[in-house]
Amino acid sequence: MTTTPATAVSDLDFARTLTLLERGVVTRLGEALKAEGATLEEWRVLSFLADGAGHAMTEIAEFALLSPPSLTKVVDRMVSLNLVLRRVDDEDRRRVLVFVTERGTEALSRWTAAVEHEQQNIVTALGGEEAALLAALLRRACGRLIS
């Protein structure tokens, strides 16, 4: 990816600025997870499944910000690594639910520690007060723009 010089950032439109920020955060979190043998998508999936309830693929895709085909590939990989398992829903036999395994729970603990460490690095780079303000503004914007 070509980086944008700091002097040119002030000239960017709003959407491009948000995109650059999102990419920067995702790249940093992705690198932290890669060091643990994981991807950001896998961490998001396990984070969602951590409640132990089991969830349908459509719910997981929405939470993990993945298209259904992409999620299927991620879950297939995670099944092969014994991080999650698929089970037919007892209440609706047409539905398949995904559950985290014991190995997945252990991996989630390590992965979350890596993500939290990198998130703290990001907060430090931004400054605590500015990071809190940015997070509040982004949550407010999401509430207003995303239904």
Side-chain angles (χ1 to χ4, degrees):
M1 174 176 105
T2 304
T3 58
T4 300
T7 56
V9 171
S10 63
D11 296 334
L12 297 177
D13 63 85
F14 180 73
R16 184 168 158 83
T17 303
L18 279 177
T19 300
L20 285 172
L21 177 61
E22 186 265 346
R23 285 183 183 170
V25 170
V26 165
T27 297
R28 290 177 72 149
L29 296 178
E31 289 171 359
L33 284 163
K34 185 177 181 181
E36 294 293 325
T39 66
L40 186 56
E41 292 80 11
E42 291 167 340
W43 175 73
R44 285 180 181 152
V45 169
L46 284 185
S47 296
F48 188 63
L49 298 175
D51 64 5
H55 294 278
M57 294 287 280
T58 53
E59 293 175 274
I60 301 167
E62 184 176 318
F63 179 85
L65 307 173
L66 293 170
S67 67
S70 294
L71 176 64
T72 297
K73 291 175 186 172
V74 170
V75 170
D76 286 347
R77 174 176 149 71
M78 295 175 78
V79 166
S80 71
L81 295 171
N82 192 28
L83 299 171
V84 300
L85 59 89
R86 291 183 181 103
R87 236 189 274 161
V88 174
D89 186 351
D90 292 335
E91 295 177 17
D92 182 351
R93 307 287 298 162
R94 298 168 296 174
R95 227 169 77 136
V96 174
L97 301 178
V98 181
F99 294 84
V100 65
T101 64
E102 186 175 327
R103 183 174 181 183
T105 300
E106 292 166 3
L108 178 60
S109 179
R110 289 189 318 276
W111 299 353
T112 298
V115 167
E116 288 173 353
H117 178 75
E118 190 55 39
Q119 285 177 337
Q120 187 55 51
N121 290 340
I122 293 167
V123 168
T124 299
L126 293 174
E129 189 175 315
E130 287 188 8
L133 177 59
L134 177 60
L137 290 170
L138 290 171
R139 282 191 294 274
R140 190 178 317 151
C142 284
R144 292 179 181 171
L145 298 176
I146 301 170
S147 50

